[in-house]
Amino acid sequence: MRDALLAKLTEIVGAADVLQADAAAPFLVEWRGAFRPTALAVVRPADTAQVAAVVTACADANCAVIAQSGNTGLVGGAAADDAQRHVIVNLERMDRVREVDADNATITVEAGCILADVQQAAADAGLFFPLTLASRDRCRIGGNLATNAGGLNVVRYGNTRDLALGLEVVLADGRIWNNLTGLRKDNSGFDLDDLFIGSEGALGIITAAVMKLYEPVVQQVSALFALESPAQAVRLQRRLTAASGHNLTGCELMSRQAVALACSHIEGCEEPFDIDHDWYLLVELASSADGHWLLDAMAHVVEQARHAHELTDVVIAHDVETSRRLWHLRESLPPAQVAEGASIKHDISLPVSKLPAFLERALAAVREALPGVRPCPFGHVGDGNLHFNLSQPVDADGPAFLAQAEAAHTVVHDIVAEMGGSIAAEHGIGRLKVAALDRYKSEVERDMLAAIKTALDPHNRLNPGVIVKA
């Protein structure tokens, strides 16, 4: 049966794009190393019709399909785990920009388009695509949509879901649903696009999307604030939002430990102040309107904050190079933690107002539970999303530290749940956090998730084991 399926897949996409053994190895790697992916084959279709034919062939052979685009996910969402039944459908060949509609301010792109290429295509048309992630040169639109990725501009432009106006999706039975209309208003039924965005390939395979575009930024100002507490960051965020007319586009909280690791390990990262500070807030104001009034707004907020004793020091970027250095520091935090050794990671969100209380409680709790641990919290304070990561103690054994991950997750996630937050803010559930849903989602919510999965994928052939238990 497997030989027959492989023959059929070869007929659909060609022998060069049905990969096994060594040829498949580059696609069987999981970024964090938490999984050891394995699959019968990796198939690389060239268009939506081929994706549909592959899904149909796999269904006929009673095999499962795992969608993969940039393979930069952090929760094992594309980590196939059955060498006999799982077929990875990698969408990297589907990398075409189908249309730029300047008057409708939209771009229609295939799922395999690299995020940075979509940004460039928008710029070439004199427009701006605001989704941006540290992995923008590798991640692809299909994965961004499947995980509802957030990134650095969420506070102004929203998550990927907020940027999508329509999808093209291959369903579990091989049918193609085309909703690439670009409509901003359509109340003709349930919002089906929203079902597939954030579903991690468990309900359908997104093959293309219509995404919103904006006018290009013409004035921009960044600043790095040195602070005594996260509460000061929350107050600064409100001041900046008001003073700029809701043109705050980036608002990133960084702990002292996280900044120190970046300066120790990543080229081009420098200590931003003469003395160390407990917390840092990196912000950006940006607008498509002409003028220099955002710089005035930033200066006004700095004056207000100084008067209210809400900052210790500040660097305002008056040129592109200074701004680039400040944002390089923020984007260097994840690789710096990797360079430092083992790290236990949490991707959580809370109402912005609760972040200071969460940090006070969680920092004390993890230090008690894991003596010597070095917490490295950082993240998007503007939307309540923190990466509450824990670096191993100095000179600790990495594997021994990681063996305490489940205990650490319980400590952190219990506090998050008690405070009304989410244990999966922007990376998704994948295979990594499925078991945790039993603890943190109500029975009613779990039943609804299972019912939707059953309705759209009754035979559990799309990414089994992701979000909903297999």
Side-chain angles (χ1 to χ4, degrees):
M1 188 67 169
R2 297 297 173 260
D3 290 342
L5 173 60
L6 291 170
K8 182 63 176 177
L9 296 176
T10 299
E11 177 185 324
I12 294 167
V13 303
D17 290 299
V18 177
L19 311 178
Q20 292 185 285
D22 290 346
F27 304 92
L28 296 172
V29 177
E30 195 267 330
W31 245 25
R32 283 186 175 166
F35 298 88
R36 296 180 180 274
T38 184
L40 173 66
V42 176
V43 181
R44 300 170 67 245
D47 55 37
T48 302
Q50 287 189 359
V51 174
V54 167
V55 170
T56 300
C58 289
D60 290 344
N62 194 30
C63 284
V65 173
I66 286 76
Q68 183 186 87
S69 50
N71 198 24
T72 60
L74 299 174
V75 291
D81 58 8
D82 189 329
Q84 299 301 313
R85 283 197 65 243
H86 285 186
V87 173
I88 291 176
V89 175
N90 181 280
L91 302 173
E92 67 180 15
R93 292 178 67 202
M94 297 178 59
D95 60 355
R96 290 172 286 274
V97 174
R98 294 187 184 175
E99 180 186 23
V100 177
D101 185 340
D103 288 339
N104 196 43
T106 56
I107 185 169
T108 303
V109 296
E110 294 183 339
C113 284
I114 293 172
L115 175 55
D117 292 341
V118 178
Q119 294 173 333
Q120 187 60 53
D124 291 344
L127 294 164
F128 172 58
F129 184 59
L131 179 65
T132 191
L133 311 168
S135 59
R136 57 187 168 268
D137 292 325
R138 288 189 56 187
C139 67
R140 297 173 188 262
I141 289 295
N144 299 152
L145 287 159
T147 60
N148 188 29
L152 300 176
N153 286 337
V154 169
V155 65
R156 170 64 176 84
Y157 298 102
N159 293 297
T160 307
R161 170 178 279 114
D162 301 296
L163 299 171
L165 292 175
L167 303 179
E168 178 185 79
V169 181
V170 174
L171 304 178
D173 59 6
R175 290 183 296 166
I176 299 170
W177 174 58
N178 188 321
N179 192 43
L180 298 175
T181 61
L183 297 176
R184 285 171 169 78
K185 288 185 176 180
D186 181 4
N187 288 319
S188 59
F190 302 130
D191 192 335
L192 299 177
D193 291 311
D194 253 7
L195 275 178
F196 296 104
I197 298 171
S199 70
E200 302 184 51
L203 302 179
I205 299 177
I206 298 170
T207 52
V210 182
M211 309 299 292
K212 296 178 187 176
L213 297 178
Y214 293 81
E215 291 301 315
V217 170
V218 296
Q219 59 168 317
Q220 187 174 15
V221 57
S222 297
L224 182 68
F225 293 87
L227 308 176
E228 294 177 351
S229 70
Q232 291 180 332
V234 172
R235 290 194 290 272
L236 274 168
Q237 181 254 346
R238 290 191 61 196
R239 290 188 186 278
L240 288 160
T241 299
S244 67
H246 288 266
N247 282 297
L248 177 65
T249 55
C251 192
E252 299 290 305
L253 183 69
M254 302 181 288
S255 64
R256 173 62 212 158
Q257 180 67 61
V259 169
L261 293 184
C263 293
S264 295
H265 292 290
I266 306 300
E267 184 178 355
C269 288
E270 302 173 353
E271 291 288 352
F273 299 99
D274 291 336
I275 61 174
D276 298 341
H277 300 277
D278 290 337
W279 296 94
Y280 302 87
L281 184 71
L282 177 58
V283 302
E284 179 182 89
L285 305 179
S287 173
S288 60
D290 289 333
H292 303 285
W293 51 272
L294 285 180
L295 187 58
D296 294 336
M298 182 72 77
H300 177 64
V301 168
V302 169
E303 182 180 357
Q304 284 183 321
R306 285 193 191 279
H307 183 73
H309 304 290
E310 291 175 358
L311 67 84
T312 304
D313 205 345
V314 63
V315 172
I316 298 177
H318 291 282
D319 57 74
V320 173
E321 179 57 27
T322 302
S323 178
R324 187 201 63 78
R325 288 203 309 270
L326 295 179
W327 283 98
H328 176 65
L329 181 64
R330 164 60 182 88
E331 294 186 353
S332 297
L333 302 187
Q337 289 187 311
V338 172
E340 183 68 10
S343 179
I344 298 173
K345 303 181 188 301
H346 305 90
D347 169 39
I348 64 95
S349 68
L350 288 152
V352 174
S353 59
K354 295 184 179 181
L355 287 179
F358 164 77
L359 283 165
E360 183 177 358
R361 288 184 57 186
L363 288 170
V366 297
R367 285 172 175 143
E368 180 179 353
L370 304 172
V373 71
R374 293 175 293 164
C376 296
F378 64 92
H380 322 304
V381 68
D383 63 9
N385 173 203
L386 285 180
H387 303 292
F388 191 80
N389 297 345
L390 310 174
S391 285
Q392 67 180 54
V394 176
D395 298 327
D397 177 70
F401 177 68
L402 292 177
Q404 303 175 81
E406 285 306 314
H409 294 333
T410 299
V411 169
V412 174
H413 290 161
D414 280 359
I415 296 173
V416 170
E418 183 183 331
M419 297 182 74
S422 170
I423 66 167
E426 66 176 357
H427 294 159
I429 292 296
R431 288 170 174 76
L432 189 66
K433 299 180 182 180
V434 173
L437 296 186
D438 287 342
R439 184 178 179 93
Y440 300 111
K441 282 195 179 294
S442 69
E443 182 179 359
V444 171
E445 191 168 354
R446 297 198 307 273
D447 284 349
M448 288 193 291
L449 290 172
I452 293 169
K453 171 69 171 175
T454 299
L456 290 175
D457 183 18
H459 302 291
N460 197 24
R461 288 176 178 145
L462 296 178
N463 219 355
V466 166
I467 301 180
V468 177
K469 286 184 177 178

